[in-house]
Amino acid sequence: MFENYDLFSTLIQLHAGGVAKLVNRRDAPGLWTVGAFHAESDRAVHSDVWERHPGGHEILVVLSGELHVHLRDEGHVVTLTAGRSFLVPPGCWHRLTVGEPGDLLSITPRAGTEHEKAVV
């Protein structure tokens, strides 16, 4: 019941009724998930892939380092440093790049997520 876990190697699924479950990163959750990621390079954040989440806002929180959130349709880039966050609007195509290696926390609505290869 009381677990100490590594958020960098697991995900938390958020369910109705306030229930949270730990799941393997390889599982395809299809729900809201909370996860942490080491953003060592552009490859670590899949900078060559656009994604969007039609099911809701994605919350990005930079714990350390510097990340850039690229918003495709707006042609805008948002720079986030340690302690800063950004709400990606539902259905907004976005991708990340690393300005300075660090750690990222994301809260993501997984259902219906789409990906497209970016031309970089």
Side-chain angles (χ1 to χ4, degrees):
M1 176 92 183
F2 299 102
E3 294 185 51
N4 180 342
Y5 57 91
D6 178 9
L7 191 56
F8 290 99
S9 62
T10 61
L11 291 174
I12 302 171
Q13 281 184 342
L14 303 178
H15 295 263
V19 175
K21 294 181 182 177
L22 298 176
V23 297
N24 185 306
R25 282 188 180 269
R26 297 188 192 279
D27 294 341
L31 302 169
W32 283 84
T33 58
V34 178
F37 306 90
H38 295 299
E40 302 288 330
S41 66
D42 284 348
R43 183 178 172 148
V45 293
H46 310 288
S47 66
D48 61 340
V49 175
W50 292 104
E51 73 173 8
R52 67 178 172 180
H53 312 284
H57 286 83
E58 179 175 42
I59 303 164
L60 302 173
V61 182
V62 174
L63 303 174
S64 63
E66 178 183 272
L67 293 176
H68 306 286
V69 183
H70 301 259
L71 306 173
R72 184 171 76 181
D73 297 336
E74 292 77 5
H76 190 66
V77 179
V78 177
T79 299
L80 301 175
T81 55
R84 304 298 296 179
S85 63
F86 184 74
L87 298 176
V88 179
C92 178
W93 286 104
H94 63 284
R95 66 184 183 90
L96 303 176
T97 56
V98 175
E100 178 183 320
D103 295 324
L104 171 69
L105 176 75
S106 69
I107 303 171
T108 308
R110 294 289 181 159
T113 293
E114 299 175 73
H115 295 97
E116 285 185 5
K117 186 75 171 168
V119 178
V120 185

